[in-house]
Amino acid sequence: MSVGIRSRVTVPLRFSDGYRTTAEVVTFEGLTDGKEHLALALGDVANADVPLVRPHSECLTGDVFGSERCDCGPQLREAVERIATAGGYLLYLRQEGRGIGLYAKLDAYALQDLGMDTYEANRALGHADDERDYTAAAQMLTALGVTSVDLLTNNPDKAAQLRALDVDVRSVLPTGVHASDANVRYLQAKVSHTAHTIDLPLAV
């Protein structure tokens, strides 16, 4: 089955800090993993020379409940405004917990409370450091008619996977640093284990 666009619907967005914008939410059919991923078209994407794109993995605890154990919620908020300004897409990917799922992520949290970092906890549970696959993201971009992107991410694996899937990544732009006392150890682990481009402050 070829990948295609299933539906488009306009959704007004409002964040807790009062920021508002409008997204065209796009759903798909035929994605390789069968999951219900979404693309949010933001800003004047039709006239963007090269769209700004962020593949954002679902994080219920951070995106919805405002958990401070990660930087996912602030990254999502930042990405929506930056993409709305530049014109592009936020790909909201159903890959909770770097692909291990919500319950396993919470099990990993319990191990982190015993002293492990986020990657050590994944391994102790029998998972890889990062189990995400961006094939569906590349398929979504193809269905949207996007061949070249400016990628908004701190994760070098996203750019590497998309390039291997024949997406032209013209440039990679980092997100801001959203460090706090609650998440700095988690961010440090992302830098040391998977070379995330997070310019951490010397003290938080």
Side-chain angles (χ1 to χ4, degrees), residues 111-132:
L111 294 177
Q112 290 169 49
D113 288 343
L114 298 176
M116 294 184 185
D117 71 32
T118 178
Y119 298 98
E120 293 166 344
N122 272 28
R123 294 174 202 150
L125 293 170
H127 294 286
D129 285 356
D130 192 333
E131 297 185 357
R132 288 174 293 182

Side-chain angles (χ1 to χ4, degrees), residues 28 37-40 53-58 83 89-94 136-138 140-141 144 151 162:
F28 301 86
H37 306 296
L38 302 174
L40 277 66
V53 172
R54 173 168 174 77
H56 183 93
S57 296
E58 177 182 52
I83 296 170
Y89 296 97
L90 183 127
L91 306 182
Y92 198 80
L93 305 173
R94 313 304 296 277
M140 294 160 73
L141 292 170
L144 292 164
L151 200 64
L162 289 175

Side-chain angles (χ1 to χ4, degrees), residues 57-125:
S57 296
E58 177 182 52
C59 177
L60 180 71
T61 50
D63 296 343
V64 177
F65 297 124
S67 168
E68 294 186 334
R69 293 186 71 139
C70 64
D71 59 343
C72 302
Q75 280 190 321
L76 177 64
R77 164 66 182 84
E78 175 194 354
V80 167
E81 184 170 4
R82 287 178 65 177
I83 296 170
T85 300
Y89 296 97
L90 183 127
L91 306 182
Y92 198 80
L93 305 173
R94 313 304 296 277
Q95 300 185 130
E96 183 78 48
R98 297 197 302 276
I100 68 175
L102 179 60
Y103 280 14
K105 181 178 84 170
L106 293 172
D107 292 341
Y109 277 1
L111 294 177
Q112 290 169 49
D113 288 343
L114 298 176
M116 294 184 185
D117 71 32
T118 178
Y119 298 98
E120 293 166 344
N122 272 28
R123 294 174 202 150
L125 293 170

Side-chain angles (χ1 to χ4, degrees), residues 133-139 142 159-168:
D133 182 324
Y134 296 99
T135 302
Q139 291 177 321
T142 297
Q161 285 201 40
L162 289 175
R163 284 176 171 138
L165 293 161
D166 296 323
V167 176
D168 175 34

Side-chain angles (χ1 to χ4, degrees), residues 33-55:
D33 60 8
K35 294 181 180 179
E36 294 183 329
H37 306 296
L38 302 174
L40 277 66
L42 296 157
D44 189 7
V45 64
N47 292 312
D49 176 31
V50 173
L52 182 61
V53 172
R54 173 168 174 77

